[in-house]
Amino acid sequence: MIQSSELILNPDGSVYHLNLKPEHIARDIIFVGDQNRVEKITQFFDSIEFSTQKREFKTQTGYFKGKKMTVMSTGIGPDNIDIVMNELDALVNIDLETRQPKENLTSLNIIRIGTSGSLQADIPCDSFVMSRYGLGLDNMLRSYLIDDISETAIEDAFISQTHWDLKKGRPYVIACSETLEKRIESNQIHKGFTGTAGGFYGPQGRVLRLAIQDPELNAKMDSFEFEGIKMTNLEMETAAIYGLGKLLGHHCLSLNAIIANRANGTFSEDPYKAVNALIAYTLEKLAE
């Protein structure tokens, strides 16, 4: 039996941080970072049957073209992803009354929709990026046993090409769900590595008043390549989602609307239009 100190439930029986019960979620789940973006997606739903929020975790479940879906905000960073992924899995794969893992496990389909800046000149503003791999720079996933799911050859290549300082921990690389990749992909979507940093400033090469360990790291990441695959963007969640999803048996995919291009210094003329286009595209694919 899983002890109450390990799987914490609220007085109403919902999981501690998300404030959800098993009947509150669909099997197809869309992640966003910002709680205010949840309704930017659910505004397209035919109906909403459940809504709740605790802290930065806002959840709405309803129907789009007859298909039941959940939209959830995760907040920022791999630490929040650790909470969200484990508690979502508990909702479908642990009996919350007996505190025993279920004999028959359920796989969720989880798609993250975000915005990002492109690292490559040939990925223009207003285009879509699919994270073929998540490249984790954050160390969170190393708390788990990941040797069987990580891409060691790519990790070694990244360490070598960027002269990565292992005092910061060993980067990890996890592939997306091939099932969701085939379900969502089209010839209008760019694919590549998405870097997942553990912070917004120093871990992503930003300098305010503090010197950083490797001022050239961003340039090195921009030029990183493995078997023709390049870094497309840098954010704070994808690799953690991929890793925990693969460990727990869920299908995960990360999509970004590109609203800036760092390589050529451009910014989208209408970033909201780009985001709405990605939302519409994703909803239609999930509803098929």
Side-chain angles (χ1 to χ4, degrees), residues 199-208 210 212 218 234:
F200 183 76
Y201 289 96
Q204 293 191 39
R206 293 182 172 91
V207 178
L208 301 184
L210 296 176
I212 59 176
N218 278 11
L234 184 63

Side-chain angles (χ1 to χ4, degrees), residues 58-207:
K58 181 173 183 176
T59 303
Q60 291 192 332
T61 296
Y63 289 86
F64 176 79
K65 293 189 174 181
K67 184 71 176 290
K68 189 176 182 180
M69 301 182 194
T70 293
V71 183
M72 174 182 296
S73 62
T74 65
I76 299 173
D79 51 343
N80 274 18
I81 296 303
D82 184 55
I83 291 171
V84 172
M85 291 296 292
N86 276 288
E87 291 194 4
L88 277 178
D89 181 75
L91 289 173
V92 295
N93 289 323
I94 297 174
D95 186 316
L96 300 184
E97 293 185 3
T98 66
R99 294 180 171 274
Q100 298 281 357
K102 295 179 179 179
E103 183 175 345
N104 297 314
L105 300 179
T106 296
S107 292
L108 300 171
N109 296 315
I110 298 170
I111 296 181
R112 180 180 186 274
I113 295 179
T115 59
S116 189
S118 168
L119 304 182
Q120 305 297 332
D122 61 350
I123 302 178
C125 292
D126 304 324
S127 62
F128 302 160
V129 162
M130 176 185 291
S131 305
R132 179 67 184 86
Y133 295 93
L135 198 161
L137 310 174
D138 57 278
N139 287 324
M140 184 280 290
L141 202 67
R142 293 273 174 206
S143 295
Y144 300 94
L145 302 175
I146 65 171
D147 287 351
D148 289 342
I149 65 164
S150 59
E151 306 286 340
T152 305
I154 303 176
E155 295 168 3
D156 289 341
F158 180 81
I159 291 167
S160 174
Q161 290 183 38
T162 63
H163 304 289
W164 181 262
D165 187 346
L166 289 174
K167 288 186 290 186
K168 295 190 292 186
R170 180 182 172 88
Y172 61 92
V173 178
I174 312 292
C176 71
S177 161
E178 292 185 7
T179 300
L180 282 183
E181 179 184 9
K182 292 175 181 177
R183 183 174 173 183
I184 301 297
E185 69 181 350
S186 75
N187 56 14
Q188 71 185 94
I189 295 181
H190 301 266
K191 297 181 184 180
F193 294 106
T194 291
T196 296
F200 183 76
Y201 289 96
Q204 293 191 39
R206 293 182 172 91
V207 178

Side-chain angles (χ1 to χ4, degrees), residues 20-83:
L20 297 172
K21 296 180 181 179
E23 62 267 25
H24 294 155
I25 63 169
R27 296 300 173 260
D28 287 342
I29 300 176
I30 295 175
F31 281 175
V32 294
D34 184 356
Q35 57 197 354
N36 294 320
R37 193 172 288 167
V38 171
E39 291 179 351
K40 293 184 183 300
I41 297 177
T42 59
Q43 67 177 323
F44 297 105
F45 280 18
D46 306 319
S47 62
I48 297 173
E49 65 175 21
F50 176 79
S51 182
T52 192
Q53 181 169 358
K54 184 177 181 181
R55 305 186 188 185
E56 62 266 58
F57 307 114
K58 181 173 183 176
T59 303
Q60 291 192 332
T61 296
Y63 289 86
F64 176 79
K65 293 189 174 181
K67 184 71 176 290
K68 189 176 182 180
M69 301 182 194
T70 293
V71 183
M72 174 182 296
S73 62
T74 65
I76 299 173
D79 51 343
N80 274 18
I81 296 303
D82 184 55
I83 291 171

Side-chain angles (χ1 to χ4, degrees), residues 245-264:
K246 206 165 285 282
L247 287 171
L248 292 166
H250 304 298
H251 298 286
C252 299
L253 190 69
S254 182
L255 303 171
N256 274 274
I258 297 302
I259 62 173
N261 186 294
R262 194 174 73 185
N264 55 36

Side-chain angles (χ1 to χ4, degrees), residues 37 115 126 257-260 267-277:
R37 193 172 288 167
T115 59
D126 304 324
I258 297 302
I259 62 173
F267 191 82
S268 172
E269 294 183 1
D270 190 348
Y272 298 107
K273 181 178 179 181
V275 173
N276 285 336

